[in-house]
Every structure is written in structure tokens, then in C-alpha cells.
Amino acid sequence: MEKAIVSAENVTYTYPAEEGKQNHAALHDVTISVKQGEFVAVLGHNGSGKSTFAKHLNAILLPSGGAVYIDGMDTREEGLLLAIREKCGMVFQNPDNQIVATVVEEDVAFAPENMGVAPEEIRRRVDACLETVGMGEYKRHAPHLLSGGQKQRIAIAGVLAMEPSILVMDEPTAMLDPAGRREVMQTVARLNREKGITVILITHHMDEAAMAGRIIVMHEGEVALEGTPREVFARVEEIRRLSLLPPQTVDLLWHLRAQGFDLPLEALSVEECADVLEAFLKK
Amino acid sequence: MSEILTVQNISHIYSAGTPFERAAVKNISLSVQEGEFVGLIGHTGSGKSTLVQHFNGLLKPTSGTVLVDGQDIHASKEATRRARFQVGLVFQYPEYQLFEETVYKDIAFGPRNMGLDEGEIDRRVRTAAQQVGLPEDALEVSPFDLSGGQKRRAALAGVFAMEPRLLVLDEPMAGLDPVGREEILQCIERFRRVSGAAVLFVTHSMEDAARVSDRLIVLNQGEILMQGSPAEVFSNSQALTAAGLDIPTVTRLFIELRRRGLPLSPAVYTVPQALAEILRLKNGGEGEVC
């Protein structure tokens, strides 16, 4: 059996109560295990607990109950904090909150510098990571003059420069346009496929989730659905009940089924859906 | 219908005279009619955000003219000030701009700057709160105690309360889940219906743009690539793809089905349209193409 590189066991998390307010649990008894090299997408509407879960993976938040292990390291052990954060890199939604330097290449060098990596190695990593995200020609630019999409790619390069084995991304493309999203998602898929980096992607985008090997849908702090993209998206009614929208391909087939036509719901891609509809219309 | 916004041949060059000199907007002309719902689409760096900041005078064009209600907004300080009230600009992530002690005070900030009397301010705050679906008791809490979606709506209310005649929104649904996106769209549509104001919203979601807009303007590299009704624009999906934009999944599906020889309409961009079109063909080509 492959080993679980991320293991959350019965995690409960309650945000500290503010004065005069009921504190509410953002995570209830969440158990999730991710194997080395997996690509897992976590879906859920705003407030479903998916970001709270993500923040447990490199000890930004510590569980109120249960435990999180990153490559066997318990996130509650203070002495392991740096090792955990080197192992598990995190990219957030808003690149402006992640960029620290005034020159692109200095920003990407920030983490390896702090890790004590040798200067020549830092140079190599910075150049390689900027190429990976397609921002090589911007290395001497000032980040604040770049567009949101470009800044996000710089932020991703900055995390990649640590050479983490796990990449946790919390809606990394929410501020990007379709072309930027595609570039980032292709980069992420390539890192997963070619370098074997374990990817945990928190997203609202069904088409991004469809690229993952496994989807976990969260709802009100719990795991509500889990399976391959095909299995999860075919459950249209449940998806809707969880305040998510199924992909348009599946949605269209579902509506045709509701009209009494016997069509399969598993056609996720445009080509698969076209096959189903072509057969249906030419019948 | 009269023209609320007229943009004539504007260009904007950033960092002129430095090695980073870049023309973000190149010789653009466009107009917006009262009551219209316009979607402005383009990929990152296409000049959308730069362009809209000219509409209320936040940026001054390097060349060209911006008219609001027929008046050149840079003719005088007074004209610029008037444009700021007539054109309400909602930035990306507007909830980051909430700052007051209570939601009420935050929404009242704009109307108070306009020099309105307390009675009118109160009416506008309550109307705007209602338009965005914030309950009365939310008005007295700190904006920082609201949920993410409520914060976004409170920030919108602050602009609605100025009762602009043109509401310009830069990516108003960014970072929200599908349900949150729908809520925001409905708030904007409600405001437009009740106030009769024009709405221009910037997005890179073709699906959102297509669903609500009367007219789409597509920007590419600082220039207008095309404009027209959603059906017209989506019929030209090749040019959209070439401009780095994603066409809706159902549009791609219909292109594929047409390629396979099925006589379907090329102008399909929503699931209900796709459904109607497939049923039409299934039932022997009867009925209207939508």
C-alpha cells in the first residue's frame, strides 16, 4: 500500500469565540487521507470549511480535536513546524498577501534564502521556478506593476522554490482569467505528473476539480461526497443541494433525463458529451 | 434612450518615458445607454481595469475624451466631482474597503460626502441595504463581523446609496462560490431595474457575462476586439478563443456537434438554450431557434 503523506484524523476545529457570541465548529470530525503523488481537489461552497481544512495542512491552524500528520509529522509538535512547512507549501487566493519583495526574483528567492540554501542553488531554483510558471522574462520587474494573474504565478514560483513534496493551493485561480487559469492549472498538473508532487487543490471551479484524480466535497465542516470526478459529478441532485453547480455537460444531460430520455450522466468532457448527444439525436 | 457614457478615442500609457512604458488602452471609443446592462470581457492585462477607471475620472486619459451625460469630465474640477457621483465604481474585492464602525455608517459614507441631509442619507442607506438583502439589524454591527458574502454586499450597498446613473463593477463576483455569484448578480440586476441606472460589469467569466448582459464588449490588448449581443459575440467563438478567452462549455459542445454534422444553432451559450435547441432537433426541427 502506498503511504499516506497527508493524514487528517477526526479533525475538529472551532474558531475562538468572540465576546458574547456562540462559537461555531468550522470542522467536525474530518478524516481525510492523501497518498504520495495524488492530486486531490476539495470542493465546497463558501463557509464549507475547505479553507479551514487547508490551513491545518501546514500548521497555520492546529486542530481543536483529532490530529493532522504531514509525512508522519504531527502538526501539534512545535519543534516540527519548520520541517512541516518546508514539506507542505501553500498558495493562497490573493497574491498581494503573499508577495514580500520589491523585485520578482527576490520574492521567489525569499523562502530558499530563509531555509539556508546555497546561493548558486537559490539562483538555479529561482530561474527554474520562474520558467515553470512562465514568468522568466519578468524576473527583474516590480511585482506591484504586474497583473493579478502574473502575481499569482510569482507566488506559486515562490512556493515551488522550497521544493515542497506537497502543494496545497487555496483557490489559486480565483483572481485569474481563463488563460491565466489554464496556465496555472497546466503547471500544477505537470508538477503532479512529472515531479510527483502531491497536490491538494481547494477550488470552486468544477473544471479544475475534474482534472484531479479524486474529489472531496465539503459541506458544513464535514466531508459530504468523495470519489473520482466522474462519480461525484454524476450525483447532480446532491451537488446542487451542496450549493455547487455541476459541469454544463452533465447538467445538460441531467435536464434531458428529467424530460424522460434515458441518457448516461457520466459524460464529463465535451467529446464524451458530444458522443452521447450525437447518438441520441441521430437515433 | 439617452447616452450616459461616451468615450471618444481614449488612450492610456503607463510609465511614459520609462523602460516600462506600456499602452494599456489604445484609442478606444464606446458608449453606454441609460438602463443598459453591458458586460466588458477580456483576459488579464487586456486593459479592462485601466479602461473603467477612466469612466469616473480616477485616471485621466493620455489622449481622448470621456463624456458623462454629455459633459467632458475633465473640463473642470466641478465636472470631475460630478462624474464621481454619477458613475459609481466598485473595485475588485470591495469588502477590503469597508472601514467604518458600523455597516450603517459605512453605507452612509458616500451619500454624506455628497452633502445630502440626514433624512435623505437615512432613506438611501435603508433602501440600499434592502437592495442587497442586508437585514435591518445588520446595519448596527461592525462590517468586520459580517460573513464574506455579506461584506461584499455591504460594500455594494455603499455605492448603490450614491444612486449613480452608471454603475461600473470590476469583477464583482471574483472569489465567490456559484451561489454567492448568483446573489451578487441578482443584487446588481435589482438595483438596475429599480433605479433605471446603466450597469457595466467587468468579468472574465464568459458564462456570467452572457447570462445577464444586453451587450458584450470584448477587449484584447487594449483595444476593442468585438461588441454586440451575446448571441452575436458567441457566434464568433474562434476570435474569442484566439483572444485567450474561454467560451462556455455548452458553446464548445455545440461547436463539436455542428462539426459532426448536426444542424444546431451556433449561438448557444447557456444550458437552458442548449436544452431547448436539442429538444427542437429531437422533435423534428419544430419551433424557434433561441
Side-chain angles (χ1 to χ4, degrees):
Chain A
M1 218 186 79
E2 282 173 86
K3 125 181 156 192
I5 192 158
V6 172
S7 174
E9 293 171 5
N10 309 102
V11 173
T12 296
Y13 183 79
T14 309
Y15 280 98
E18 281 176 53
E19 217 178 318
K21 280 199 181 153
Q22 192 78 31
N23 50 0
H24 73 291
L27 294 177
H28 309 272
D29 201 20
V30 170
T31 297
I32 289 174
S33 158
V34 178
K35 293 194 197 80
Q36 185 138 27
E38 250 196 303
F39 182 170
V40 176
V42 182
L43 284 171
H45 63 86
N46 289 355
S48 62
K50 59 190 191 320
S51 292
T52 304
F53 172 68
K55 287 183 184 137
H56 277 78
L57 300 181
N58 71 351
I60 293 172
L61 295 178
L62 297 176
S64 316
V68 176
Y69 298 94
I70 300 300
D71 202 15
M73 296 180 283
D74 188 333
T75 59
R76 292 168 302 181
E77 297 250 0
E78 242 184 284
L80 295 174
L81 189 64
L82 288 178
I84 288 170
R85 292 198 174 153
E86 284 180 27
K87 180 71 69 176
C88 182
M90 193 130 175
V91 175
F92 297 93
Q93 186 186 106
N94 190 343
D96 287 332
N97 297 345
Q98 304 170 72
I99 288 176
V100 292
T102 52
V103 179
V104 165
E105 61 179 2
E106 285 176 13
D107 189 76
V108 178
F110 183 77
E113 271 172 1
N114 275 310
M115 287 161 64
V117 174
E120 314 77 65
E121 173 64 7
I122 293 178
R123 179 79 260 168
R124 188 196 65 77
R125 288 191 190 183
V126 167
D127 291 343
C129 295
L130 282 171
E131 282 310 318
T132 302
V133 298
M135 290 298 290
E137 59 179 301
Y138 289 91
K139 65 177 130 189
R140 302 275 148 79
H141 282 235
H144 75 276
L145 291 175
L146 301 176
S147 72
Q150 291 171 325
K151 281 189 277 196
Q152 188 62 301
R153 285 189 275 154
I154 300 299
I156 292 173
V159 171
L160 291 179
M162 297 194 304
E163 305 197 328
S165 19
I166 310 159
L167 192 56
V168 178
M169 313 181 90
D170 192 357
E171 296 186 42
T173 64
M175 300 180 76
L176 310 198
D177 66 7
R181 268 175 59 197
R182 230 179 352 250
E183 279 167 43
V184 168
M185 287 309 299
Q186 279 166 0
T187 306
V188 170
R190 199 173 62 240
L191 288 168
N192 173 252
R193 205 174 47 237
E194 292 170 10
K195 305 208 168 162
I197 293 183
T198 306
V199 174
I200 298 175
L201 173 74
I202 317 289
T203 184
H204 286 323
H205 290 287
M206 302 298 146
D207 50 342
E208 290 178 4
M211 294 168 69
R214 179 156 61 109
I215 292 178
I216 294 169
V217 183
M218 294 197 63
H219 184 67
E220 293 184 349
E222 294 175 31
V223 174
L225 274 177
E226 194 173 352
T228 63
R230 224 170 269 278
E231 289 163 358
V232 168
F233 289 138
R235 292 157 82 167
V236 174
E237 286 93 346
E238 278 170 273
I239 295 268
R240 279 191 213 284
R241 206 167 43 245
L242 299 170
S243 303
L244 297 170
L245 293 174
Q248 287 190 326
T249 43
V250 178
D251 197 22
L252 178 59
L253 294 171
W254 183 84
H255 276 100
L256 285 164
R257 273 173 76 98
Q259 303 258 347
F261 300 106
D262 184 26
L263 297 173
L265 280 179
E266 287 81 23
L268 204 56
S269 73
V270 165
E271 285 68 29
E272 289 168 331
C273 187
D275 289 344
V276 171
L277 290 174
E278 188 183 17
F280 169 66
L281 287 168
K282 288 186 174 167
K283 199 156 54 185
Chain B
M1 241 195 292
S2 66
E3 223 165 80
I4 179 73
L5 175 76
T6 316
V7 171
Q8 293 167 337
N9 309 100
I10 67 164
S11 295
H12 193 96
I13 298 166
Y14 278 118
S15 313
T18 77
F20 299 107
E21 176 170 314
R22 193 168 59 87
V25 167
K26 300 174 202 162
N27 197 28
I28 283 188
S29 298
L30 60 87
S31 62
V32 178
Q33 309 290 323
E34 223 150 336
E36 222 187 348
F37 203 129
V38 179
L40 181 65
I41 315 168
H43 66 88
T44 307
S46 63
K48 316 181 290 278
S49 301
T50 302
L51 178 63
V52 299
Q53 289 178 57
H54 285 84
F55 297 169
N56 72 347
L58 280 183
L59 288 179
K60 201 171 177 179
T62 311
S63 61
T65 319
V66 178
L67 307 177
V68 171
D69 216 10
Q71 302 271 332
D72 181 347
I73 65 169
H74 293 291
S76 65
K77 268 203 167 131
E78 184 46 42
T80 309
R81 186 177 152 80
R82 203 163 45 233
R84 297 258 155 86
F85 297 143
Q86 286 180 317
V87 179
L89 191 55
V90 181
F91 287 101
Q92 278 181 29
Y93 295 86
E95 61 273 25
Y96 293 163
Q97 297 170 44
L98 295 168
F99 71 102
E100 272 284 14
E101 286 164 26
T102 66
V103 173
Y104 185 99
K105 285 189 190 168
D106 210 293
I107 300 175
F109 182 77
R112 184 155 284 130
N113 271 340
M114 295 171 75
L116 301 170
D117 65 60
E118 284 303 317
E120 177 63 8
I121 292 174
D122 186 66
R123 182 192 69 77
R124 289 190 175 203
V125 170
R126 290 182 196 284
T127 308
Q130 207 177 10
Q131 278 167 337
V132 299
L134 281 180
E136 281 278 319
D137 53 5
L139 290 174
E140 294 316 317
V141 305
S142 160
F144 303 103
D145 285 345
L146 298 177
S147 74
Q150 285 178 325
K151 276 186 204 165
R152 175 85 47 107
R153 285 185 277 137
L156 277 184
V159 179
F160 287 4
M162 295 175 72
E163 302 190 348
R165 292 182 56 209
L166 170 62
L167 180 66
V168 179
L169 308 111
D170 194 355
E171 303 268 3
M173 281 102 76
L176 297 179
D177 62 17
V179 173
R181 300 175 78 84
E182 195 54 43
E183 278 175 10
I184 294 292
L185 262 188
Q186 277 169 14
C187 289
I188 297 167
E189 180 54 19
R190 202 175 307 136
F191 172 77
R192 181 181 75 119
R193 243 189 359 256
V194 173
S195 69
V199 173
L200 183 143
F201 89 116
V202 176
T203 178
H204 40 233
S205 163
M206 297 295 265
E207 294 180 24
D208 287 334
R211 222 144 34 91
V212 294
S213 308
D214 302 317
R215 185 157 60 95
L216 299 178
I217 299 176
V218 184
L219 278 193
N220 189 33
Q221 300 188 341
E223 293 172 290
I224 293 182
L225 179 70
M226 56 175 130
Q227 55 177 318
S229 69
E232 285 163 1
V233 168
F234 285 114
S235 303
N236 200 349
S237 44
Q238 262 180 328
L240 295 175
T241 317
L245 290 164
D246 254 358
I247 52 177
T249 309
V250 286
T251 309
R252 275 193 285 140
L253 176 65
F254 269 55
I255 291 172
E256 177 62 19
L257 288 169
R258 280 165 55 83
R259 199 183 60 78
R260 298 184 186 192
L262 290 159
L264 291 161
S265 161
V268 163
Y269 47 87
T270 67
V271 171
Q273 287 173 340
L275 181 66
E277 194 44 22
I278 284 178
L279 291 174
R280 179 190 66 82
L281 195 63
K282 187 70 186 168
N283 298 329
E286 299 290 317
E288 283 292 297
V289 180
C290 55

